């Protein structure tokens, strides 16, 4: 809830811990990858999307969907409403994911002597260096900055930039370490450009005009609300293979889905809940559909074919759980009305 980026939370905080656990157990990309590293890499991707969708402040792309829902659908969604809506279905996927992954992609290592490994590991790394202590302090301050941004009014991006600036000034990081992450800079430019374009198009009434045109040429009366939601989710899922950023997907595909839904008279909350689920959980399909994916896949433990097959399985499983659990739950909350 306090880390507004999947890439930061997963790639910068959790994966290094998981990776060190795998290496401590003798599982490396080129040596015994299926021992533990492969299992934990793919599992963490599923976990990342579950935690990302649960909290408005847990995922950068959520703010894009939140802004579009406000601008196009007139939904003024609070943090508590968001979490209440998604915590149950996403929580169920989160709880069953480790066991399901164990069944379909079982690690070969099933027993460990954790006490011995921990003792030997601590002895090998020795005491913390001064730079490590500085980094730890800055990291804690960054988390506090993210967590209190609604009170301090300090933008989460400003917290990140301040963190990087102090790291550079204290020589904890060097500029070349930051500059070599070219994919991050590319994503930043595309993200800002596409989101800005979507905002401008909405401001000039493009999506409203598009909805009116669709109503003139398409007979939506032949579609039931549920059938249209299914169709748009399927189309959105296929589109995931074309996008290398969840933020770009949200800014590009969500307005189209909302526009078609508005033209067909779909309830606003139904569209938001279903299309956001498709946008976030659908990112599990590929290793590049979310910024955390390249970090996890880049570990080298899992092949593309395996990643995509597992991704397809867990995406469909997530859709089923959201359909069987999420829809009745949303209906109970008075949010979902298509059934």
């Amino acid at each position: 809830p306090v880390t507004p980026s999947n890439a930061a939370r997963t790639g910068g905080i959790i994966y290094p811990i998981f990776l060190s656990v795998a290496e401590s157990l003798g599982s490396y990309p080129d040596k015994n990858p299926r021992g533990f590293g492969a299992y934990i890499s793919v599992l963490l991707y599923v976990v990342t999307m579950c935690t990302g969708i649960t909290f408005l402040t847990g995922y950068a792309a959520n703010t894009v969907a939140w802004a579009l829902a406000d601008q196009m659908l007139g939904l003024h969604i609070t943090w508590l409403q968001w979490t209440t809506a998604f915590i149950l279905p996403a929580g169920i996927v989160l709880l069953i994911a480790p066991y399901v992954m164990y069944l379909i992609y079982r690690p070969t290592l099933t027993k460990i002597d954790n006490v011995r490994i921990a003792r030997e590991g601590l002895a090998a790394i020795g005491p913390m260096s001064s730079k490590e202590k500085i980094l730890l302090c800055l990291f804690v301050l960054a988390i506090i900055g993210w967590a209190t941004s609604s009170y301090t009014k300090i933008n989460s991006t400003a917290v990140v930039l301040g963190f990087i600036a102090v790291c550079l000034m204290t020589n904890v990081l060097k500029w070349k370490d930051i500059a070599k992450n070219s994919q991050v800079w590319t994503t930043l430019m595309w993200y800002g450009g596409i989101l800005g374009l979507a905002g401008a198009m909405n401001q000039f009434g493009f999506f409203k005009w598009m909805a009116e045109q669709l109503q003139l040429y398409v007979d939506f009366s032949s579609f039931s609300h549920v059938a249209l939601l299914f169709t748009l989710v399927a189309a959105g899922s296929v589109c995931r293979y074309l996008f290398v950023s969840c933020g770009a997907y949200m800014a590009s595909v969500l307005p189209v889905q909302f526009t078609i839904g508005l033209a067909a008279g779909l309830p606003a909350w139904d569209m938001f809940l279903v299309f956001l689920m498709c946008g976030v959980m659908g990112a599990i399909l590929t290793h590049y559909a979310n910024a955390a994916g390249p970090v996890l896949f880049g570990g080298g433990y899992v092949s593309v074919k395996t990643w995509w097959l597992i991704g397809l399985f867990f995406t469909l499983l997530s859709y089923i759980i959201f359909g069987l659990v999420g829809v009745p739950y949303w209906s109970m909350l008075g949010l979902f009305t298509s059934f």
Side-chain angles (χ1 to χ4, degrees), residues 78-130:
T78 65
W79 189 96
L80 185 59
Q81 284 179 314
W82 185 295
T83 299
T84 302
F86 291 106
I87 194 168
L88 180 63
I92 291 176
V93 179
L94 181 68
L95 287 173
I96 69 171
Y99 181 66
V100 174
M101 189 72 74
Y102 186 83
L103 294 177
I104 66 173
Y105 199 54
R106 184 184 302 243
T108 58
L109 183 62
T110 56
K111 293 182 180 180
I112 62 171
D113 184 359
N114 59 293
V115 175
R116 178 188 59 80
I117 293 172
R119 186 182 297 114
E120 292 176 354
L122 287 171
I125 63 176
M128 292 180 66
S129 66
S130 58

Side-chain angles (χ1 to χ4, degrees), residues 19-20 28 45 57 59 67 80 88-89 94 116 140 152 164 168-169 219 228 239 243 288-289 294:
L19 187 62
S20 64
Y28 296 88
Y45 197 39
T57 50
Y59 188 17
L80 185 59
L88 180 63
L94 181 68
R116 178 188 59 80
V140 172
T152 62
I164 293 174
L168 290 171
M169 288 189 293
D219 180 17
L228 187 58
C239 288
F243 284 88
Y288 53 76

Side-chain angles (χ1 to χ4, degrees), residues 1 6 22 34 73 85 99 105 114 118 124 140-141 165 214 229 329:
N6 270 350
R34 286 296 305 275
L73 306 180
Y99 181 66
Y105 199 54
N114 59 293
V140 172
L141 290 174
L214 284 171
L229 285 171
Y329 173 64

